[in-house]
Amino acid sequence: MLKYLIKPWAHQEKAIELSKTQPNLALFFDPGTGKTGTAINILRLHCMKQKRVVPTLILAPIVVLPQWKHEFSLHSKIPQHQIFVCYEKGPKRLEMIRNAIAQTKGECIIISNYETLLMDKCFVEFMNWRPEVLIVDESHRCKSPTAKRTKKVIQLADRAKNKYLLTGTPITNSPMDIFAQYRILDGGATFGDNFFVFRSIWFENVLSGTRATFPKWEIKVHKINDLNRQIYTKALRAVKSECLDLPPYVRTRIEVGLSMEQKRLYEEMRKHFITFMDSDHGEKPQAVIAQQAVTKALRLQQIVTGFVKTEDGNIIRVKDNPRIDALSDLLEDLTINNKVIVWCNFKENYAQVKDVCQRLNLEFSELTGETRDRETEIQRFRSDPAVKVLISNQSAGGVGINLVEASHAIYYSKTFSLEHDVQSEARNFRGGSNIHEKITRIDLVAPKTVDDVITTALENKQDLISNILELRKQLENSLI
């Protein structure tokens, strides 16, 4: 009988019980619903049954590796000297992996990032070690069957006895994302081991017969229910709104127009892939050029947030920037009684937001790709009542961090990535956020611009996931 150190929620306990009969299981749990703790308790079952620490490899994004070891200390009594977090640079990482395996005679838990698999000598060590349990955290990172990391994970998975997928977003672009993840999970038992056969069975090119240069693959409408059934033969899903006692989540869109200067820059870039910006130093106007469509979208995003990057690499801010004014007004009001996260996409945005905070005499923390001491910055925001604002990037601060102290999140700029959007949203809307009456998300959007395009794209992707996974309740109940 497994004794819990922390009482699990009902959906966690259901997954733990199911693991007793399902050797391979996908936990499609929303961020903040406890998939890490669930996986650790499932691993505890294996260790208890075999009366030893079962050789286990946990693969996860690098930013959450320390969090995994911390969660082990909360949910288990597995000796800490048998748990190793390995992400040191170069030869040190290989040395640590070898020492971990040698010191424990292979009976250890190694937590590492996906990039380790691309280091040939480290990968060979893992293959020779032959971990019995493989846990793939944020498994959607392995959605591409042609990616090197996916191929490496598949090789390891084929040698493991038990595999577990953990992600809240198993589908981020297309239902085809599910193929590689299930190839890892069960060796092809559910969807086969050939991607092109899988695609031909479940999808169709809706542009077939047209003059379109590229195909557009969409799931066959009459196959959606069958796809659901196949997915949930080995998966459970946990949705925050259904399984946690959470406050209302309020999503607010604040439309912020462009200044006359921004409109000129935006229209010139949109039409001609080039615009010119007056220098702050009285020099001749500098060119801002986009060589291709991807760069063009990036330049348009920068313009609506209030700056441009010239061909010489110079950053020039737009003097009249309504978006920064709107942010200033919001922070001035909200920080009286609340902590606020401001999500940004560009380095210059960080500087813009910092300037606003300094102007308002607001203390702030930073959590971006440039932050060296992440833990100190996180703790300052969480524990210091004077620190009212966290300035963060969705990629750097949007995964594996608990920020429930914040009742508000302002999206100053964002990307097309559904993963970034869902993960960042879950930082302060998760278990523990019921300390607030409500959680508010504020999207700053310039109407009829790339902002609208990004927002619509994210909403459409979210609708796609909901549609594909909508039968989960009936199917999950049939598993037990």
Side-chain angles (χ1 to χ4, degrees):
M1 181 70 178
L2 186 65
K3 294 182 179 180
Y4 298 114
L5 275 67
I6 298 177
K7 181 175 174 55
W9 290 310
H11 66 279
Q12 292 178 299
E13 196 162 15
K14 183 177 180 180
I16 295 164
E17 286 300 310
L18 182 58
S19 73
K20 294 177 181 179
T21 55
Q22 285 281 354
N24 307 309
L25 188 61
L27 303 181
F28 295 152
F29 286 15
D30 273 358
T33 56
K35 60 181 181 289
T36 303
T38 305
I40 290 171
N41 276 309
I42 290 173
L43 181 57
R44 288 179 63 211
L45 280 176
H46 288 290
C47 295
M48 185 175 70
K49 183 177 180 180
Q50 297 191 35
K51 298 180 180 179
R52 64 186 179 114
V53 174
V54 177
T56 301
L57 175 61
I58 300 172
L59 296 170
I62 192 167
V63 296
V64 301
L65 299 187
Q67 184 64 25
W68 263 98
K69 188 162 186 179
H70 175 66
E71 291 284 331
F72 267 103
S73 70
L74 297 177
H75 293 279
S76 81
K77 293 183 179 179
I78 296 174
Q80 289 288 298
H81 68 269
Q82 288 181 273
I83 303 173
F84 301 85
V85 179
C86 301
Y87 60 96
E88 290 76 5
K89 293 182 179 179
K92 289 185 178 180
R93 191 180 314 189
L94 176 61
E95 181 182 359
M96 188 168 190
I97 291 170
R98 284 176 172 170
N99 289 341
I101 295 171
Q103 291 170 13
T104 62
K105 297 181 179 180
E107 294 185 358
C108 61
I109 297 165
I110 295 180
I111 308 165
S112 196
N113 60 321
Y114 291 105
E115 285 65 36
T116 302
L117 303 185
L118 303 182
M119 302 169 67
D120 291 339
K121 291 183 179 179
C122 292
F123 181 71
V124 169
E125 289 295 323
F126 286 150
M127 289 292 284
N128 292 336
W129 175 39
R130 298 177 70 100
E132 297 176 28
V133 176
L134 178 65
I135 298 174
V136 185
D137 191 13
E138 305 299 347
S139 62
H140 57 273
R141 302 279 178 103
C142 299
K143 63 180 178 289
S144 172
T146 59
K148 288 183 179 180
R149 84 164 54 148
T150 304
K151 292 178 180 179
K152 297 288 189 181
V153 176
I154 287 173
Q155 290 182 61
L156 286 166
D158 285 348
R159 291 189 170 202
K161 294 180 181 178
N162 303 100
K163 282 88 70 175
Y164 301 97
L165 305 179
L166 280 59
T167 180
T169 52
I171 299 169
T172 59
N173 293 314
S174 159
M176 284 190 279
D177 293 349
I178 212 73
F179 170 80
Q181 295 175 76
Y182 268 66
R183 173 62 183 84
I184 293 167
L185 185 69
D186 62 16
T190 300
F191 292 117
D193 58 8
N194 186 301
F195 171 74
F196 297 103
V197 173
F198 164 78
R199 189 177 68 182
S200 68
I201 292 172
W202 298 94
F203 298 83
E204 60 184 345
N205 176 15
V206 296
L207 297 181
S208 178
T210 70
R211 295 183 178 180
T213 305
F214 300 102
K216 183 178 180 182
W217 295 99
E218 292 185 1
I219 188 169
K220 297 173 182 176
V221 175
H222 66 282
K223 285 283 191 179
I224 292 178
N225 289 354
D226 288 341
L227 183 69
N228 271 274
R229 292 188 182 93
Q230 292 297 322
I231 289 173
Y232 284 103
T233 56
K234 296 169 183 173
L236 289 174
R237 184 155 175 78
V239 179
K240 280 185 291 191
S241 60
E242 297 174 359
C243 62
L244 299 182
D245 180 19
L246 296 175
Y249 188 76
V250 179
R251 186 164 183 161
T252 302
R253 172 179 169 139
I254 295 181
E255 294 191 347
V256 183
L258 303 180
S259 66
M260 293 301 294
E261 180 70 352
Q262 283 175 300
K263 287 179 181 178
R264 179 186 68 79
L265 296 168
Y266 191 93
E267 284 303 306
E268 288 178 352
M269 178 59 67
R270 185 181 66 83
K271 292 179 180 179
H272 310 300
F273 283 68
I274 185 170
T275 186
F276 293 88
M277 183 72 179
D278 290 332
S279 170
D280 291 334
H281 306 293
E283 302 167 357
K284 66 179 182 179
Q286 298 190 48
V288 181
I289 302 173
Q291 300 289 351
Q292 54 188 351
V294 173
T295 307
K296 179 179 177 180
L298 193 69
R299 295 287 179 257
L300 292 175
Q301 285 180 268
Q302 292 170 347
I303 290 169
V304 299
T305 64
F307 76 96
V308 294
K309 185 175 183 179
T310 69
E311 283 304 286
D312 297 331
N314 296 321
I315 299 294
I316 304 176
R317 292 187 187 179
V318 177
K319 292 179 181 178
D320 183 10
N321 182 4
R323 181 171 298 215
I324 209 71
D325 294 338
L327 176 69
S328 180
D329 289 343
L330 285 168
L331 290 180
E332 186 173 10
D333 292 337
L334 293 176
T335 54
I336 295 173
N337 296 308
N338 306 282
K339 285 180 179 280
V340 182
I341 306 169
V342 181
W343 296 108
C344 304
N345 189 32
F346 302 105
K347 291 181 181 179
E348 182 60 21
N349 293 160
Y350 314 153
Q352 290 172 302
V353 179
K354 282 191 280 188
D355 286 349
V356 170
C357 290
Q358 289 166 353
R359 205 162 53 238
L360 296 174
N361 292 318
L362 294 174
E363 289 196 42
F364 59 88
S365 291
E366 295 181 69
L367 190 57
T368 70
E370 299 176 327
T371 303
R372 293 185 178 181
D373 192 346
R374 290 169 51 88
E375 290 304 314
T376 296
E377 292 297 297
I378 292 169
Q379 287 306 314
R380 283 186 64 241
F381 179 71
R382 297 193 63 185
S383 305
D384 188 342
V387 180
K388 295 290 190 176
V389 178
L390 174 68
I391 304 168
S392 189
N393 174 280
Q394 288 174 283
S395 178
V399 180
I401 300 169
N402 186 336
L403 299 172
V404 295
E405 287 75 16
S407 59
H408 290 70
I410 300 173
Y411 285 73
Y412 187 81
S413 58
K414 54 183 180 285
T415 72
F416 280 94
S417 170
L418 179 62
E419 177 191 354
H420 289 168
D421 197 68
V422 172
Q423 289 284 0
S424 61
E425 193 174 86
R427 293 315 99 208
N428 66 321
F429 186 56
R430 59 195 295 119
S433 61
N434 51 9
I435 60 175
H436 307 291
E437 291 185 2
K438 62 181 179 180
I439 302 297
T440 303
R441 168 178 175 157
I442 301 172
D443 289 90
L444 299 181
V445 178
K448 299 180 181 179
T449 69
V450 67
D451 276 350
D452 268 338
V453 175
I454 292 173
T455 301
T456 300
L458 291 173
E459 289 174 350
N460 289 341
K461 287 180 181 180
Q462 192 66 263
D463 289 343
L464 172 68
I465 291 178
S466 298
N467 187 39
I468 295 300
L469 301 177
E470 67 182 355
L471 294 180
R472 69 183 190 280
K473 291 180 182 177
Q474 305 96 293
L475 297 166
E476 285 176 357
N477 290 334
S478 68
L479 291 177
I480 305 298

